[in-house]
Amino acid sequence: MTEYEVTDLSLGMMSQAFSSIGYYLTTVFAYLSVAYFMGAKLKRREVFIISVLFLFGVLRFLYGTYGYLTKHWEMVQQMKVIAPNRAYFNDSSWVRNSILAIELFGVVVSLYFMYTRTRRQTN
């Protein structure tokens, strides 16, 4: 592949990763809104259904983000072979691993927030 083609693929993967992060944030904020405004009024079954749907959705976007960033990293490695004297973004795995950790932390905090909001109903 030419440098242009690899760069184009790399930017495409980065664009998809940012889209997946946006979907993740949308899902998390929707869940937090439900927890904040309706948490104390929801029944246990409703909380369970909402939380399971949240987990399926958010983990899918988390998987997508990690996958797209991994593919982007692979493209960067190919670009380094074509043009070794250039500096590239996301040249190491710590970027995608830190984004994954932050997103996982957001999932745990969101679930805990829903738990604390629904506990008000029983207390």
Side-chain angles (χ1 to χ4, degrees):
M1 277 192 265
T2 67
E3 183 179 5
Y4 171 78
E5 292 170 328
V6 176
T7 303
D8 187 48
L9 285 172
S10 170
L11 293 175
M13 291 300 117
M14 188 59 91
S15 174
Q16 291 295 333
F18 286 143
S19 293
S20 192
I21 291 170
Y23 296 142
Y24 163 84
L25 289 173
T26 301
T27 306
V28 167
F29 284 119
Y31 184 75
L32 290 174
S33 296
V34 168
Y36 182 76
F37 291 112
M38 300 300 296
K41 299 174 186 173
L42 295 173
K43 297 176 184 168
R44 287 186 188 266
R45 182 181 300 154
E46 294 169 333
V47 171
F48 177 77
I49 291 169
I50 291 168
S51 296
V52 167
L53 290 174
F54 165 72
L55 278 175
F56 279 127
V58 81
L59 292 178
R60 166 62 186 100
F61 298 133
L62 225 150
Y63 176 75
T65 301
Y66 188 79
Y68 289 127
L69 288 175
T70 300
K71 197 63 177 170
H72 169 72
W73 181 80
E74 291 173 5
M75 295 294 113
V76 168
Q77 300 311 308
Q78 288 186 12
M79 288 188 293
K80 287 173 71 174
V81 170
I82 295 170
N85 296 332
R86 297 198 180 160
Y88 297 102
F89 178 70
N90 192 11
D91 195 17
S92 64
S93 62
W94 72 269
V95 173
R96 68 178 185 269
N97 291 338
S98 61
I99 291 173
L100 178 68
I102 291 168
E103 288 184 344
L104 281 172
F105 180 73
V107 171
V108 172
V109 168
S110 298
L111 290 170
Y112 179 74
F113 184 70
M114 176 66 92
Y115 173 75
T116 59
R117 294 296 294 179
T118 57
R119 296 271 303 161
R120 292 182 184 194
Q121 173 185 351
T122 59
N123 293 338

